[in-house]
Amino acid sequence: MNRLVVVSNRVADLKRSTQAGGLAVGLADSLRSRGGVWMGWDGQTLKYEEEPEPRIQRIGDVTQATIPLTEQDYVEYYLGFANRVLWPLFHYRLDLVEYKTAFLEGYRRVNAKFANALTSVLQPDDVIWIHDYHLIPLAAELRQRGCQQRIGFFLHIPFPPPEILAAVPRHRWLVESLLEFDVVGFQTNTDLGNLHHYVEDHLGCEIKSDGRIDLGTREVIGGCFPIGIDVDSFVGMAEQPNEEVQIEMKRREILGRRQVIGVDRLDYTKGLPDRLRAFARLLELYPEMRKSVALMQIATPTREELEAYIDIRKELEALSGEINGRFADFNWTPVRYIHGTVPRDALAALFRASQVGFVTPLRDGMNLVAKEYVAAQAMDDPGVLVLSKFAGAAEDMREALIVNPYDVDDMARNLCRALTMPLAERQDRQKALMERIREHDSAYWLSTFMAALEDGKTKETA
Ligand code: ADQ
């Protein structure tokens, strides 16, 4: 087996039990099982003239190699091109894109830095797996430095249709950079289809019947590799008794109250304001639900330097206050809004103790929370997943109640349906969903991507 070298903007802290962020969670599960090297930014900004050598640290079977960035890199590459341009663009939010040439320059400069650092740790037989929108030009940078190893790329977020992509300057360069990889992986068939459309319409390339992109001189494997979770480990956590959650659950049982749960990074793509509005609408449309259900929304702060994230935080705080002001009683608070991160074992217990998992992003690459919620349920009395049709997870998790996150009434009606669903139907849906998340788990994600990267195998040729 070749040594696997993973590269992502940040590396996860493998020693911590608290981890908010799908890439960190998904990759940590996969790398722990296979071992290898994980390279990324250490999260620090320093002043330096000469690029420092990567800092090497060994944790179990994983060697982490990290580099610092400068303040200018942070502003132009991370806050700028990655999160003011690519993140909104790839989530279909053209209204939030703030393009500047300096951002693009910073993006190219940092990708070159990553390539320099990586070159110093690479061995001839390595396979390299690069992750996410921060590092699209990295394969081209590595090739310029003589790197011969196979290089794969996985995009954790959606890939938009050509008409949206074309709104950003240098979109052709961006896609051509993607095609420098040997394998380009997406979460869903929709995302893969969007790349195919671009490549056919703008670059005039042919897509072969097995999905390979024919560039004339070489072929690129474009594939759909839905990311999954380590199901057994999550089930194990959910089954562990958590005293505080159990006490809280008993209290609710005595009062005859159910809980709807939402857990997200606090991001404008996650559809949080309309989720809260849908919960309020439930209380309006079905007054009998009042005092018998509460929404717990846990939201981890992220990217707090960006205006759009400050705005969404303010909007949510105002909305939860408004809903509570309107409906609360002296002994019932309809919305509990928690601005923070919860350890994974407590999260698993909270999912298990909640009758509805409410996952309503406006657009999401996959959404691991949907899979975690299902993994945490007890088969004898499972809860119901209400899932946005714009989450990548909806392509596969068809037995969830699928909703339109832009339609508050639709979400409210489905919430009511979830809260009143008979046990037999809940069990049927849970069984089917559990099979799906087991089939597409983190091990499957890793092995199918590796088969494509190491052996050129795709689903069509396997
Ligand atoms: P994210 O946008 O971060 O991931 P998601 O897939 O839901 O979204 O993963 C979030 C992870 O962080 C989950 O494991 C969740 O449990 C955890 N988490 C979130 N909020 C938390 C909180 N408040 N407390 C504790 N834990 C919390 C990106 C893409 C997704 C894609 C993943 C993986 O945006 O579409 O599914 O990468 O590829």
Side-chain angles (χ1 to χ4, degrees), residues 172-205:
R172 189 184 168 109
W173 165 78
L174 214 54
V175 177
E176 283 171 346
S177 304
L178 262 185
L179 299 177
E180 292 285 330
F181 288 90
D182 296 300
V183 178
V184 181
F186 297 95
Q187 301 272 26
T188 66
N189 286 306
T190 306
D191 301 322
L192 177 60
N194 287 338
L195 176 74
H196 285 166
H197 291 149
Y198 187 98
V199 164
E200 282 173 326
D201 298 351
H202 289 255
L203 307 181
C205 298

Side-chain angles (χ1 to χ4, degrees), residues 64-265:
Q64 289 193 331
T66 52
I67 55 165
L69 296 179
T70 66
E71 185 63 27
Q72 190 188 1
D73 294 337
Y74 177 64
V75 170
E76 294 174 355
Y77 149 82
Y78 179 75
L79 294 179
F81 201 73
N83 287 314
R84 282 190 154 104
V85 179
L86 293 181
W87 177 268
L89 178 78
F90 282 20
H91 286 89
Y92 300 52
R93 289 296 302 268
L94 287 179
D95 57 318
L96 294 176
V97 172
E98 298 171 58
Y99 180 83
K100 281 190 191 156
T101 308
F103 292 168
L104 179 66
E105 282 161 8
Y107 185 65
R108 300 180 86 147
R109 182 176 66 242
V110 171
N111 271 272
K113 277 187 187 177
F114 266 68
N116 292 338
L118 199 56
T119 314
S120 72
V121 296
L122 282 179
Q123 294 169 8
D125 291 336
D126 288 342
V127 281
I128 308 166
W129 190 8
I130 292 166
H131 290 260
D132 234 3
Y133 57 102
H134 313 85
L135 302 174
I136 292 173
L138 188 49
E141 293 287 348
L142 286 169
R143 294 288 183 233
Q144 279 168 25
R145 287 161 181 73
C147 170
Q148 305 273 323
Q149 291 89 336
R150 302 258 307 157
I151 316 178
F153 177 80
F154 183 76
L155 185 67
H156 289 256
I157 65 176
F159 190 77
E163 315 80 81
I164 293 201
L165 195 59
V168 73
R170 309 301 310 276
H171 53 92
R172 189 184 168 109
W173 165 78
L174 214 54
V175 177
E176 283 171 346
S177 304
L178 262 185
L179 299 177
E180 292 285 330
F181 288 90
D182 296 300
V183 178
V184 181
F186 297 95
Q187 301 272 26
T188 66
N189 286 306
T190 306
D191 301 322
L192 177 60
N194 287 338
L195 176 74
H196 285 166
H197 291 149
Y198 187 98
V199 164
E200 282 173 326
D201 298 351
H202 289 255
L203 307 181
C205 298
E206 193 196 331
I207 311 298
K208 299 198 145 181
S209 58
D210 62 0
R212 281 165 211 262
I213 301 164
D214 189 351
L215 299 178
T217 48
R218 48 185 273 274
E219 286 180 355
V220 179
I221 298 178
C224 169
F225 304 91
I227 195 168
I229 60 167
D230 179 343
V231 177
D232 286 328
S233 129
F234 211 80
V235 169
M237 279 191 273
E239 284 174 351
Q240 281 292 317
N242 180 308
E243 210 179 317
E244 281 176 286
V245 175
Q246 277 176 339
I247 294 170
E248 166 64 20
M249 202 165 106
K250 278 270 164 307
R251 197 181 77 90
R252 272 193 284 121
E253 263 170 33
I254 295 166
L255 295 166
R257 277 186 195 150
R258 269 88 42 85
Q259 178 161 282
V260 175
I261 193 163
V263 174
D264 309 77
R265 282 185 311 98

Side-chain angles (χ1 to χ4, degrees), residues 279-290:
F279 185 74
R281 190 75 181 126
L282 169 87
L283 303 177
E284 260 169 27
L285 288 176
Y286 310 95
E288 68 279 13
M289 289 283 170
R290 294 180 194 176

Side-chain angles (χ1 to χ4, degrees), residues 346-366:
L347 201 60
L350 281 170
F351 283 148
R352 196 179 181 86
S354 302
Q355 287 65 40
V356 179
F358 201 17
V359 182
T360 58
L362 302 176
R363 194 64 62 177
D364 216 332
M366 176 56 60

Side-chain angles (χ1 to χ4, degrees), residues 1-3 34 127 150 449-457:
M1 198 163 59
N2 305 73
R3 188 175 75 151
R34 169 157 172 157
V127 281
R150 302 258 307 157
F449 194 92
M450 281 301 133
L453 185 57
E454 291 181 303
D455 312 320
K457 280 195 195 133

